[in-house]
Amino acid sequence: QAENLCVEFESLTALRAQVADLRGKIRALGSVNVSAIEEYKEVKARYDTLRAQVEDVEGSRNELTRMITSLSGQMKDIFRAINENFGRVFTELFGGGEASLVLEDESDVLSCGIGIRVAPPGKVIKNLEALSGGEQALVAISIYFAILSVNPAPFCFLDEIEAALDDNNVDRFAKYLHKLTENTQFIVITHRRGTMAAADRLYGITMQEKGVSTLVSVNLIENDLDK
């Protein structure tokens, strides 16, 4: 077997020098670590575990990136729809004018701010603070109704949101609210006559005797049918 592994050489001196060099390199390696194989297995097992965890994290990151991109696209579509409805609802509630919503950073739809631009009929508004309290309330109501038009809620509770409006705007509010009842059931707390007149049923609390509350209800739909 040794003969088969024999290497031909021309100079015995050169071969001895090569052997001496190899022996020096072997001695430079130091003592043999007999536990190296076991240590390698342990390190490799830990490496494989960490690598699998890194691949899992990278996969999750890629999935989150894909989801964020998808959500951003959906949010842009929803924003456009709400914006279109906002302009339409604003014009109807104000009896004219223009309004729109503006993204402050279109590249970051999920966390950027939203600007509100409105121009009531016959007015030039550069800041929402220039609007009266009733006009500001009507702008907020317009945005809320625009959102409901895009994503109707089955049930909605409104607590005197039209309190700051004048009578004409209350009537517009009540008529538009009645349009939304096809998809949403509303309970409205109000003291405004125009809103009450547009309701299907009224509930009131009276105290005819001190400390005794009484519930009074009127079904306006049945009363209209009786007429």
Side-chain angles (χ1 to χ4, degrees):
Q1 294 177 356
E3 185 178 3
N4 293 332
L5 297 175
C6 179
V7 179
E8 296 182 1
F9 60 94
E10 297 178 356
S11 171
L12 180 61
T13 302
L15 182 61
R16 286 175 177 173
Q18 184 179 2
V19 171
D21 181 61
L22 290 174
R23 284 176 177 172
K25 291 180 178 180
I26 292 173
R27 285 193 297 270
L29 292 176
S31 59
V32 177
N33 183 3
V34 294
S35 62
I37 296 177
E38 295 299 325
E39 291 179 359
Y40 168 77
K41 290 181 180 179
E42 293 177 0
V43 172
K44 186 176 185 304
R46 179 166 175 75
Y47 168 79
D48 291 340
T49 301
L50 292 175
R51 183 174 182 178
Q53 292 177 354
V54 170
E55 291 177 350
D56 184 58
V57 171
E58 290 179 346
S60 299
R61 181 189 63 184
N62 295 334
E63 179 65 17
L64 286 174
T65 302
R66 185 193 65 77
M67 291 176 62
I68 290 173
T69 302
S70 177
L71 284 174
S72 296
Q74 294 177 22
M75 291 295 292
K76 286 182 179 179
D77 293 339
I78 293 173
F79 178 80
R80 292 191 193 98
I82 292 175
N83 195 15
E84 292 176 0
N85 283 317
F86 174 49
R88 176 179 53 78
V89 176
F90 178 91
T91 300
E92 187 167 347
L93 292 182
F94 274 83
E98 298 178 350
S100 62
L101 302 174
V102 181
L103 290 174
E104 294 181 354
D105 183 2
E106 294 188 0
S107 63
D108 188 12
V109 181
L110 297 180
S111 60
C112 74
I114 297 177
I116 303 173
R117 297 176 181 174
V118 297
K123 293 185 178 181
V124 178
I125 301 297
K126 295 183 178 180
N127 193 315
L128 289 177
E129 295 179 356
L131 296 173
S132 66
E135 289 172 331
Q136 291 181 13
L138 203 57
V139 170
I141 291 171
S142 299
I143 296 175
Y144 183 62
F145 283 172
I147 295 173
L148 279 179
S149 298
V150 175
N151 186 22
F155 184 83
C156 186
F157 195 96
L158 304 179
D159 187 2
E160 297 191 49
I161 66 171
E162 86 290 32
L165 305 183
D166 58 28
D167 291 339
N168 290 332
N169 286 330
V170 167
D171 291 338
R172 291 196 186 105
F173 159 80
K175 290 179 181 178
Y176 197 90
L177 181 65
H178 209 276
K179 292 181 181 179
L180 299 176
T181 57
E182 294 181 1
N183 299 313
T184 303
Q185 182 179 5
F186 291 94
I187 289 182
V188 183
I189 297 176
T190 183
H191 295 286
R192 304 304 298 271
R193 183 176 299 176
T195 305
M196 296 181 191
D200 295 333
R201 183 184 291 270
L202 295 178
Y203 293 92
I205 303 296
T206 64
M207 188 179 292
Q208 297 177 353
E209 300 180 16
K210 186 176 181 180
V212 180
S213 299
T214 304
L215 175 65
V216 179
S217 66
V218 179
N219 191 332
L220 299 182
I221 296 178
E222 292 182 355
N223 290 345
D224 289 341
L225 293 176
D226 292 341
K227 294 179 181 179

